[in-house]
Amino acid sequence: MAETTKTMSNRPPKGFRSAEQGWPELHRIPHPRRRVPLLGDVLGVDRHRPLQDSLRHARELGPIFRRRAFGNEFVLVWGARLVADLADESRFAKHVGLGVANLRPVAGDGLFTAYNHEPNWQLAHDVLAPGFSREAMEGYHGMMLSVAGRLTDHWDRRLAAGHTVDVPGDMTRLTLETIARTGFGHDFGSFERDRPHPFVTAMVGTLGYAQRLNTVPVPLAPLLLRAATRRNAADMACLNRTVDELVAARRRSGGGEGDLLDRMLATAHPETGERLPAQNVRKQVITFLVAGHETTSGALSFALYYLARHPEIAARARAEVDRVWGGTPHPRYDQVARLRYVRRVLDEALRLWPTAPAFAREAREDTVLAGEHPMRRGAWALVLTPMLHRAPEVWGPDPERFDPERFTPAAVRARPPHTFKPFGTGARACIGRQFALHEATLVLGLLLRRYELHADPGYRLTVTERLTLMPEGLRLRLERRRHPEEALRTVPAGRDEPAARRQHPAQPRSASRCPVRGAGD
């Protein structure tokens, strides 16, 4: 491994090419109508929801298209065959660009924002990967249960007072506390606060600022975003200060219980003996605290939205929880993986709204994408994951319908590879994906066992964007279950539990579509 760098570069690696330089036959790729000289495809753009704006163009222009904004051309891809080719690690690698590159001032060469040539990515990955082993995950399980208990206590108080619950806000509290406690031995006290913790406020600010930078010409950004730039500097200072205090407390204590922070501070690379530099530790902690809770909170929020809108699906998932967990108040680690239908609900929510909604891939060498589109070394394309997850040739003629049966083992085996990508792809895919899936499945199981979830009939799903996706303004009314065991006698099991299936007739699946404002049909 190369010697670890002591400074970070915010510049892209050598060989980077713009779309014009890197796509020799760019003219063959369609673009939106009404292109304006100099400004590009800016007419009618929704600056607050650029991802959903791109989904609208994708439906019109097809599986590969391009957009121009202020002199910069971007190629966007969502066709299954094209994305599968981009997943070839021998020819393509992660590209750090657009909003992700805008996060480098705060996240630097952390795992998510590091350029491929920066050695701290490989060093950190090798040091931290054991922190997500099965043994490590079993160690986190008890802390996940404890934080989930704080959530249900909070929801019980809301229910007793006759109030609805703020789903995105409470899922953010839950997932922040979970990653903070399991990874860093820290308690933000989120459920004891009337307002979000300042770390969350600062995080939302930096994510929003990174996205806004994509909507203005780079030379004019200091002028047009002067006030926002000052706020962003204050937000970054808050993130850095919070993390520095957390790390300093750990150093004073002499170590924790072998969590992620201990690995960052004390573990040497098994082959080279290198350790993470102090500056990189700060960047890695920020990366995990932000990415480790923001995307999982969105996934849980969308899943709860769909469960509340489809009571027959919620009833089936609840019956599985009752059957698998029985009367145990604290399910074991291994019992979570047995919630197969609950996991399908989660996967289907991630299909429709992957909370990290895009990832970029760049050509390692000159190549031809899917045998059709020449790309020079350094040329890159942005994969629109929500559109990939709606490709009719993969997901059928009604891809907007919420249907967990898309994730039965048989259905998964029948699909082509690289068509479900909520955690990115390749070597740079999310290192904590199993952590997130275990946490989310556990929480959904606990909430389904404890509550009936009732949607507001007047609520229409609106998706807010801050690089990640989140349902905006989602509130649910709760009803405490008094006799959970009744679900065992009234609701059928899934297809993978044949005995239970024989005892109960199947209920019809919902054919409801995804009613999303600004996201197309």
Side-chain angles (χ1 to χ4, degrees):
M1 180 178 294
E3 182 180 357
T4 304
T5 54
K6 293 182 172 58
T7 60
M8 295 177 299
S9 169
N10 285 322
R11 295 172 296 184
K14 293 181 180 179
F16 172 86
R17 297 174 185 271
S18 68
E20 293 91 335
Q21 295 171 312
W23 294 77
E25 299 180 14
L26 191 64
H27 62 278
R28 293 178 52 208
I29 301 175
H31 64 77
R33 298 187 294 270
R34 300 194 301 163
R35 177 167 280 190
V36 178
L38 299 180
L39 296 180
D41 308 316
V42 298
L43 294 180
V45 169
D46 186 340
R47 293 193 306 146
H48 299 291
R49 294 180 175 86
L51 183 278
Q52 293 165 81
D53 193 61
S54 290
L55 300 187
R56 177 172 58 85
H57 286 296
R59 292 182 173 92
E60 175 187 348
L61 298 172
I64 181 169
F65 64 101
R66 55 191 168 109
R67 302 189 70 178
R68 177 181 286 271
F70 310 116
N72 296 314
E73 193 96 25
F74 311 107
V75 175
L76 301 97
V77 170
W78 60 273
R81 188 168 61 90
L82 297 163
V83 175
D85 203 36
L86 286 170
D88 182 353
E89 286 283 290
S90 68
R91 293 162 49 229
F92 297 95
K94 176 172 178 171
H95 174 77
V96 177
L98 294 177
V100 175
N102 294 337
L103 289 172
R104 281 186 58 87
V106 65
D109 56 349
L111 283 172
F112 181 59
T113 48
Y115 292 124
N116 294 315
H117 72 287
E118 292 180 305
N120 278 339
W121 177 83
Q122 189 69 61
L123 172 59
H125 185 274
D126 292 348
V127 167
L128 295 174
F132 296 97
S133 65
R134 177 183 174 86
E135 181 182 9
M137 292 286 293
E138 287 191 70
Y140 304 145
H141 178 74
M143 286 181 276
M144 291 182 179
L145 276 170
S146 176
V147 176
R150 293 166 67 181
L151 169 69
T152 54
D153 287 347
H154 174 68
W155 278 19
D156 284 349
R157 291 192 295 270
R158 299 289 298 176
L159 175 59
H163 298 315
T164 59
V165 294
D166 171 12
V167 174
D170 288 341
M171 293 306 104
T172 296
R173 291 181 176 91
L174 169 87
T175 55
L176 176 63
E177 292 300 334
T178 299
I179 186 61
R181 287 195 59 187
T182 58
F184 308 102
H186 185 73
D187 190 332
F188 282 100
S190 299
F191 288 105
E192 290 70 49
R193 294 174 174 270
D194 294 329
R195 297 181 178 180
H197 190 280
F199 184 92
V200 173
T201 304
M203 177 212 69
V204 171
T206 56
L207 292 176
Y209 180 78
Q211 179 143 298
R212 288 189 66 188
L213 286 176
N214 294 325
T215 66
V216 298
V218 174
L220 298 181
L223 177 64
L224 298 178
L225 300 179
R226 183 178 301 171
T229 300
R230 287 197 298 268
R231 288 195 299 272
N232 185 62
D235 288 337
M236 288 196 301
C238 175
L239 296 178
N240 289 335
R241 183 171 59 253
T242 302
V243 169
D244 288 347
E245 291 172 356
L246 188 155
V247 172
R250 176 61 59 86
R251 291 189 186 278
R252 287 194 301 269
S253 71
E257 299 180 0
D259 58 14
L260 293 178
L261 184 54
D262 276 351
R263 292 179 184 276
M264 292 179 190
L265 294 176
T267 302
H269 190 277
E271 296 178 4
T272 67
E274 292 176 279
R275 297 178 187 270
L276 291 175
Q279 181 73 2
N280 184 259
V281 170
R282 173 203 270 181
K283 303 304 183 185
Q284 302 294 359
V285 175
I286 290 176
T287 296
F288 275 99
L289 285 175
V290 174
H293 93 272
E294 172 74 355
T295 52
T296 310
S297 62
L300 278 165
S301 297
F302 282 114
L304 289 167
Y305 164 78
Y306 285 112
L307 285 167
R309 281 189 56 85
H310 300 285
E312 76 287 354
I313 292 176
R316 181 173 168 184
R318 186 175 292 113
E320 179 184 64
V321 176
D322 291 337
R323 182 176 60 256
V324 172
W325 290 359
T328 177
H330 305 297
R332 301 185 311 272
Y333 172 82
D334 63 286
Q335 288 180 302
V336 176
R338 292 170 58 197
L339 297 183
R340 296 181 179 91
Y341 188 75
V342 174
R343 172 63 185 276
R344 289 177 208 163
V345 169
L346 178 62
D347 283 344
E348 178 68 347
L350 283 168
R351 181 187 71 84
L352 285 168
W353 294 110
T355 48
F359 58 93
R361 302 284 284 173
E362 66 180 49
R364 296 180 184 271
E365 302 294 343
D366 293 357
T367 188
V368 180
L369 177 61
E372 296 181 24
H373 302 285
M375 296 175 66
R376 295 197 180 103
R377 177 177 178 267
W380 60 277
L382 185 72
V383 175
L384 291 177
T385 315
M387 279 304 299
L388 169 68
H389 291 175
R390 287 168 166 80
E393 69 272 22
V394 176
W395 303 98
D398 194 7
E400 295 289 349
R401 178 167 53 87
F402 183 80
D403 182 6
E405 293 302 293
R406 300 181 198 272
F407 289 91
T408 63
V412 171
R413 287 193 299 270
R415 273 195 297 276
H418 305 297
T419 52
F420 181 59
K421 292 287 184 180
F423 296 100
T425 193
R428 298 289 301 270
C430 175
I431 192 175
R433 55 191 176 275
Q434 294 304 322
F435 180 101
L437 290 169
H438 181 84
E439 175 189 5
T441 306
L442 170 66
V443 170
L444 288 178
L446 291 170
L447 296 181
L448 284 165
R449 184 168 69 172
R450 195 176 189 89
Y451 306 107
E452 299 278 354
L453 307 170
H454 300 285
D456 177 356
Y459 177 78
R460 186 183 179 196
L461 180 61
T462 302
V463 178
T464 188
E465 300 180 24
R466 52 195 189 211
L467 289 184
T468 60
L469 304 180
M470 182 75 76
E472 182 177 337
L474 174 62
R475 304 190 73 90
L476 296 179
R477 182 171 60 84
L478 305 176
E479 181 182 348
R480 184 68 184 272
R481 295 180 69 207
R482 294 189 179 185
H483 303 291
E485 68 278 3
E486 289 182 359
L488 291 171
R489 299 193 296 270
T490 59
V491 182
R495 291 180 179 175
D496 49 347
E497 289 86 19
R501 169 68 70 177
R502 288 193 296 270
Q503 295 172 11
H504 306 286
Q507 292 191 3
R509 292 178 296 174
S510 169
S512 298
R513 294 173 180 268
C514 176
V516 182
R517 180 180 297 126
D521 298 335

